[in-house]
Amino acid sequence: MEILGTTLRIYVDDTEALDTTAAFYERITGTPALRFERGGVSVAAVGCFLVMTGPREEIDLLRKVTATVAVRDVTHAHTTLTAAGAQIIAGPVPTPVGRNLIALHPDGSVFEYVDRNPAP
């Protein structure tokens, strides 16, 4: 499984804070935010930063994910993770930019794996 990078997760209280925080990360990265909504959560993806806000119960669930790991292919990641002893707890599912899955590692860590390959 080829790992391309990681994304740092930042949680904010409301959409005003999302806008302010996204603008800060746009300035320091020189990258415009990709904005989307998923499951009631508003997201601004800026470079390697993922800024999120939404209902408390959704955010509390998302906080359990240690990090987002970019991979070349989520299908290959699924195979590799399963063979190594990880439990796939969600996905693979399509996202606005590709596909993702959530895996529980044997040590108890939870990671999201994402690619930029559209769902077939």
Side-chain angles (χ1 to χ4, degrees):
M1 168 175 58
E2 184 178 354
I3 295 175
L4 305 174
T6 57
T7 301
L8 307 168
R9 294 165 159 255
I10 301 159
Y11 304 95
V12 296
D13 292 332
D14 54 38
T15 54
E16 183 178 331
L18 179 79
D19 293 341
T20 302
T21 304
F24 169 80
Y25 287 104
E26 286 175 325
R27 283 192 299 275
I28 67 168
T29 65
T31 305
L34 170 65
R35 292 177 180 253
F36 57 93
E37 190 166 312
R38 185 156 185 213
V41 175
S42 296
V43 180
V46 188
C48 67
F49 301 97
L50 198 60
V51 185
M52 297 178 271
T53 192
R56 174 72 51 210
E57 56 278 357
E58 292 294 327
I59 294 299
D60 287 347
L61 191 60
L62 289 171
R63 286 182 190 275
K64 294 178 181 180
V65 177
T66 303
T68 299
V69 180
V71 295
R72 179 135 347 258
D73 182 17
V74 161
T75 302
H76 185 258
H78 184 283
T79 301
T80 302
L81 289 162
T82 303
Q87 177 186 353
I88 307 305
I89 56 177
V93 296
T95 73
V97 295
R99 301 171 299 159
N100 80 337
L101 65 81
I102 307 289
L104 173 63
H105 290 193
D107 64 7
S109 299
V110 178
F111 289 87
E112 175 186 35
Y113 290 83
V114 299
D115 68 22
R116 294 205 174 224
N117 303 324

